[in-house]
Amino acid sequence: MKRLKDLKDNGDKAFVAYIMAGDGGLDKLRGQVEYLQTTGVTAIEIGIPFSDPVADGPVIEEAGNRALAEGVTLDKVLLEMESWDFNLKIPLIVMTYLNPVIRYGAERFAESCKEAGVSAVIIPDLPFEHQQLVEPYLKKTGITLIQLVTLTTTENRLEDILAAAEGFVYAVTVTGITGVRDEMTQEVQEFMKTVRSKSPVPVYAGFGISKTEHIEMLRDDVDGFIVGSAIVKAFHDNKIEDIEPLIHAVTQRNPV
Amino acid sequence: MTKVKICGLQEEVHVRAASAADAAGFVFAPSRRRVTVEQAAHLADELPGSVEKIGVFVNAELDEVLAAVREVPLTMVQLHGDETDEFIRSIPVKVIQAFSVRDIEDVKKLEKSIADYVLVDAPGIDFRGGSGRTFDWSLLEKSSIDPARLIVAGGLDSANVGQAIGSLAPYMVDVSSGVETKGKKDADKIKSFIKTVKGDSMQQATGTENVTGFFGRFGGQFVPETLMKAVKELEAAYAEAKEDADFQADYHKYLKEYVGREQPLTYAARLTEAWGGPKVYLKREDLNHTGAHKINNAIGQALLAIRMGKRKIVAETGAGQHGVATATICALLDLECVIFMGEEDIRRQQLNVFRMKLLGAKVESVTKGSATLKDAVNEALRYWVTNVEDTHYLIGSALGPHPFPTMVRDFQSVIGRETREQILDKEGRLPDVILACVGGGSNAIGMFHPFVGDESVRLIGVEAAGEGVDTARHAATLTKGTEGVLHGAYMKLLQDENGQVQEAHSISAGLDYPGVGPEHVHLEDIGRVEYKAVTDEEALASVIKLSRLEGIIPALESAHAVAEAEKAAAAMGPEEILIICVSGRGDKDMATYAEKLEGLA
């Protein structure tokens, strides 16, 4: 995860791409990761499907349901990742709800993640207060637990959470669930400025980022962007190349 | 959990030993334990802010009491003399009125007290502040006094306090001579007494004043970060409202004037005869306005939402009873109301959908997943995440992130509190067995909670076995589930080996949920409550039985409790007492009954 800091120090912006593991079959995952690597993304977030994804909007929920229908499980995804022998240059992040981790066993989860080459983990329904359930095991295997902050995070909490942040901070841009949005408000810009001024690690904006306008608006106030629903939809519609301009708008220094 | 008051403190070392208690008493009346206002002020400084500082007076002048309240300062005043109601009203902090209890006449006197709390003691010998002797606790068991107002004193020590708590379940226990050695306070005895009361395992079962919101290992606040602020705000607002007498009075006013409480505890003579075992009583939640217990909670939460400045309500509903209760209270209090309901449940409970719409609520159909309660909760949570700043999520069962399970339990505990008073009134003793159905578990926890400390009372929660617990189609979460996190709480779930939550099945839409409230999981874990499962078929048979023997058509949910009661009754004798919580009436299930029971009518 050090490269994320280097990127920030160079003044470059990060692009983290989210994909739903096993949407369209687990055998697609390797090709999707390889393809995204060629487009120049900074890191890839691999989503684990869950029956009750309350933080997600319809695009990701439906992708998860398709993956579940294909029989995709946390165990299978980690085994698949462990089998990869291609040259992987960018960090992989696993995003999963808490329940599959508890069922799998937090300690075993940490060990399997390490074997699968995972650099960091995001658990959206594991709040800061309860991170003891998982974090100590991840720490032991050298995996980062990514902290989330939102527009509703109170000032004191923000400081506590940022003090514990490693890798990057996931700053949620909307009061709501994941999904494509039209508008990004002034309030979001102010929020990003605040978080960035206090954070010891790079700050990436996520939830609702789907357009180059969103990126232009927030570019100067964040260190990177996380794009989920737009990519999941593009893969599902077989139009992934349409997403490249969005990636380049972030990763290329002087986008045309 | 019962609170502890250490009374008659005079020295710093003893005050420090008492800092783990909930209250410290300073005696200003003539006594060997008397202190001056200055001494009390000095001693009070040693105590944490969370400990109540209580001044004890006997027929003092009002000015003297007010001066002590101001200068110590005192957070409560305890009166042992012949103080008038007018005197009590003039005191700006909460008041405890003490009574010496010799006989039933004394009990009647204390029942009329207007003080916030009543303290009961044995008759004194040399002075009126308390005698150190025990009184006959059984005198109080038949009293109508709310245990939440009761403070028990009189000869308590580490050896007998458990019995006092077990038989009276008081708000607080008060000890003085019981923590002394040769007439002087003893720091070790003070600590040991506090530990005995607070550390007692039966009491842990009732203890939820845990700041982090866990019941044993279960509960917590497993929600996305966006909701943490709202959940924390709710936690703080509820903690405040719970202690606010005006809020509680408002809530109880609606229960009385609008819901129609208190509900009877009906003796079921024909059911008793038919089963040939214990005397059977029915707690009649079916008589509530809107037809089930759900409204007890809906009113409490709606009042809390208004108190928090939120005038928009979102809720989920399974059978539609909670949706109807919520829509009803929103109409009454002029609140905006959105109800999420699974498509499958909408089909099963059309009448309730119409009722909600008639009441002005917006009913959103949920077509995802199994299109039942679990999916309705998911959608309600998503709606809440998106509209959190001006919307209250009015959860209908003892589920969800803290403080919901505690708050819903508290609002439903009126069921058990009434039942306790009623059975003591009718039979002069506690029942042997109490049964209630469990989906998320709100009527059951409301019924059980006031009895959890009574070891002699067997508590049985009844889940839905659907087509059988050994089939794939059931909702018996405690019987067959495993530990996991869903909808904000660590609890038990029906899930596969990969942690994917499974669909539940029950003929009863209200029990059709793959999780169960965290407090129930804890009560099962420590062995305090037994949980059994009853099939669709058994529940339907009980619908017929209760309808024809007692003229009461129960809701399908409640019929599960009736079915299990019949099994429990088979092993009981005529001298025993069994109570069933009839959580709701069967009007909403009439279409199902017509379909399933055709040919029997």
Side-chain angles (χ1 to χ4, degrees), chain A residues 89-108:
Chain A
K89 297 182 222 97
I90 56 176
L92 296 180
I93 301 159
V94 163
M95 169 140 170
T96 173
Y97 285 85
L98 180 58
N99 197 51
V101 175
I102 287 177
R103 195 73 179 131
Y104 194 86
E107 190 167 11
R108 182 175 157 230

Side-chain angles (χ1 to χ4, degrees), chain B residues 337-398:
Chain B
C337 180
V338 181
I339 308 280
F340 287 92
M341 187 168 181
E343 194 182 36
E344 168 67 15
D345 290 336
I346 288 180
R347 190 188 61 73
R348 286 193 279 193
Q349 308 283 344
Q350 281 187 357
L351 200 57
N352 271 345
V353 175
F354 181 65
R355 289 164 83 192
M356 286 184 267
K357 288 182 177 167
L358 187 59
L359 290 159
K362 199 167 154 201
V363 180
E364 299 278 4
S365 171
V366 178
T367 54
K368 292 170 179 172
S370 55
T372 60
L373 184 53
K374 167 179 87 99
D375 310 283
V377 175
N378 288 347
E379 284 311 302
L381 276 169
R382 289 189 178 111
Y383 183 93
W384 195 32
V385 171
T386 310
N387 300 279
V388 62
E389 298 286 4
D390 64 354
T391 302
H392 174 69
Y393 179 17
L394 207 159
I395 291 186
S397 195

Side-chain angles (χ1 to χ4, degrees), chain A residues 48-58 61-62 68 72-75 98-100 102-104 124-130 133 148-154 157 161 172 174-177, chain B residues 212 214 219-229 232-233 368-369 374-375 377-379 381-382 384-389 482-487 490 493 495-502:
Chain A
I48 307 297
F50 181 52
S51 53
D52 298 83
V54 293
D56 284 305
E61 183 182 22
E62 281 159 24
L68 286 175
V72 174
T73 66
L74 174 61
D75 194 33
L98 180 58
N99 197 51
I102 287 177
R103 195 73 179 131
Y104 194 86
D125 59 344
L126 178 65
F128 188 63
E129 283 79 353
H130 297 331
L133 275 176
L148 287 99
V149 296
T150 71
L151 293 161
T152 58
T153 302
T154 53
R157 257 182 94 73
I161 294 174
V172 177
V174 296
T175 300
I177 51 182
Chain B
T212 52
F214 279 88
Q221 294 176 320
F222 293 94
V223 293
E225 177 61 26
T226 304
L227 285 181
M228 283 307 291
K229 181 180 167 212
K232 294 276 180 200
E233 277 173 2
K368 292 170 179 172
K374 167 179 87 99
D375 310 283
V377 175
N378 288 347
E379 284 311 302
L381 276 169
R382 289 189 178 111
W384 195 32
V385 171
T386 310
N387 300 279
V388 62
E389 298 286 4
T482 49
E483 293 176 18
V485 168
L486 182 70
H487 299 151
Y490 188 73
L493 302 175
Q495 58 181 331
D496 68 14
E497 70 271 21
N498 298 303
Q500 303 297 341
V501 183
Q502 291 172 319

Side-chain angles (χ1 to χ4, degrees), chain A residues 7-211:
Chain A
L7 204 65
K8 177 182 162 106
D9 292 345
N10 290 337
D12 289 325
K13 302 295 173 187
F15 187 102
V16 180
Y18 173 98
I19 46 180
M20 173 58 76
D23 182 13
L26 195 52
D27 51 347
K28 291 249 176 89
L29 186 60
R30 178 190 173 127
Q32 291 170 338
V33 169
E34 284 183 302
Y35 166 78
L36 286 171
Q37 185 165 246
T38 64
T39 63
V41 302
T42 316
I44 299 172
E45 215 184 287
I46 295 177
I48 307 297
F50 181 52
S51 53
D52 298 83
V54 293
D56 284 305
V59 171
I60 291 178
E61 183 182 22
E62 281 159 24
N65 288 341
R66 289 192 294 268
L68 286 175
E70 297 270 355
V72 174
T73 66
L74 174 61
D75 194 33
K76 286 184 187 170
V77 174
L78 293 175
L79 280 175
E80 165 69 18
M81 289 167 69
E82 198 188 328
S83 75
W84 291 343
D85 49 10
F86 60 92
N87 187 6
L88 193 67
K89 297 182 222 97
I90 56 176
L92 296 180
I93 301 159
V94 163
M95 169 140 170
T96 173
Y97 285 85
L98 180 58
N99 197 51
V101 175
I102 287 177
R103 195 73 179 131
Y104 194 86
E107 190 167 11
R108 182 175 157 230
F109 171 70
E111 285 159 6
S112 298
C113 280
K114 187 177 167 62
E115 281 160 23
V118 172
S119 301
V121 169
I122 301 172
I123 307 178
D125 59 344
L126 178 65
F128 188 63
E129 283 79 353
H130 297 331
Q131 285 177 0
Q132 281 301 103
L133 275 176
V134 180
E135 202 269 343
Y137 303 110
L138 291 176
K139 193 170 216 148
K140 221 194 292 178
T141 51
I143 295 169
T144 305
L145 180 63
I146 299 297
Q147 303 291 345
L148 287 99
V149 296
T150 71
L151 293 161
T152 58
T153 302
T154 53
E155 212 179 306
N156 288 342
R157 257 182 94 73
L158 187 67
E159 299 203 343
D160 291 346
I161 294 174
L162 291 178
E166 288 177 42
F168 66 90
V169 165
Y170 194 136
V172 177
T173 50
V174 296
T175 300
I177 51 182
T178 61
V180 174
R181 298 285 194 296
D182 286 335
E183 304 279 327
M184 281 287 151
T185 62
Q186 192 75 32
E187 189 194 1
V188 175
Q189 216 167 6
E190 290 305 314
F191 167 67
M192 293 300 164
K193 277 187 185 146
T194 308
V195 176
R196 200 165 177 228
S197 71
K198 295 181 175 183
S199 176
V201 293
V203 176
Y204 296 174
F207 277 40
I209 308 283
S210 57
K211 298 182 172 182

Side-chain angles (χ1 to χ4, degrees), chain B residues 132-395:
Chain B
R133 296 191 301 196
T134 56
F135 64 96
D136 183 5
W137 294 328
S138 68
L139 284 170
L140 274 176
E141 287 182 354
K142 291 172 192 163
S143 161
S144 68
I145 191 84
D146 183 350
R149 285 180 64 209
L150 186 64
I151 300 174
V152 177
L156 294 179
D157 55 32
S158 292
N160 64 14
V161 67
Q163 197 194 339
I165 292 170
S167 54
L168 298 170
Y171 169 74
M172 190 184 286
V173 288
D174 183 343
V175 66
S176 184
S177 59
V179 291
E180 289 178 354
T181 300
K182 293 181 184 159
K184 293 263 292 175
K185 286 281 180 297
D186 180 325
D188 289 338
K189 283 191 181 174
I190 291 173
K191 287 181 196 160
S192 148
F193 184 86
I194 295 168
K195 204 173 156 206
T196 304
V197 176
K198 303 236 164 199
D200 183 83
S201 68
M202 288 305 288
Q203 283 302 304
Q204 276 169 11
T206 63
T208 56
E209 275 76 11
N210 184 335
V211 284
T212 52
F214 279 88
F215 306 91
R217 290 179 294 130
F218 305 99
Q221 294 176 320
F222 293 94
V223 293
E225 177 61 26
T226 304
L227 285 181
M228 283 307 291
K229 181 180 167 212
V231 163
K232 294 276 180 200
E233 277 173 2
L234 186 64
E235 188 181 339
Y238 178 61
E240 220 179 87
K242 193 176 175 177
E243 300 300 325
D244 180 350
D246 290 342
F247 177 83
Q248 293 295 337
D250 214 21
Y251 165 63
H252 285 282
K253 189 190 88 189
Y254 281 104
L255 287 185
K256 181 167 186 281
E257 308 283 336
Y258 191 71
V259 178
R261 301 202 76 99
E262 77 178 33
Q263 300 308 351
L265 183 68
T266 306
Y267 174 58
R270 295 193 65 206
L271 208 55
T272 299
E273 196 194 330
W275 289 351
K279 285 175 98 167
V280 179
Y281 283 91
L282 307 172
K283 180 59 178 172
R284 303 293 304 283
E285 293 302 307
D286 58 309
L287 295 177
N288 286 326
H289 178 44
T290 71
H293 68 290
K294 293 292 187 189
I295 192 140
N296 300 330
N297 166 53
I299 286 182
Q301 284 197 48
L303 292 174
L304 187 63
I306 293 171
R307 194 183 156 99
M308 294 173 73
K310 295 188 172 182
R311 298 203 69 90
K312 292 181 183 169
I313 301 291
V314 60
E316 83 298 331
T317 195
Q321 287 305 106
H322 175 57
V324 168
T326 304
T328 297
I329 207 67
C330 287
L332 179 71
L333 301 174
D334 191 22
L335 303 172
E336 255 184 75
C337 180
V338 181
I339 308 280
F340 287 92
M341 187 168 181
E343 194 182 36
E344 168 67 15
D345 290 336
I346 288 180
R347 190 188 61 73
R348 286 193 279 193
Q349 308 283 344
Q350 281 187 357
L351 200 57
N352 271 345
V353 175
F354 181 65
R355 289 164 83 192
M356 286 184 267
K357 288 182 177 167
L358 187 59
L359 290 159
K362 199 167 154 201
V363 180
E364 299 278 4
S365 171
V366 178
T367 54
K368 292 170 179 172
S370 55
T372 60
L373 184 53
K374 167 179 87 99
D375 310 283
V377 175
N378 288 347
E379 284 311 302
L381 276 169
R382 289 189 178 111
Y383 183 93
W384 195 32
V385 171
T386 310
N387 300 279
V388 62
E389 298 286 4
D390 64 354
T391 302
H392 174 69
Y393 179 17
L394 207 159
I395 291 186

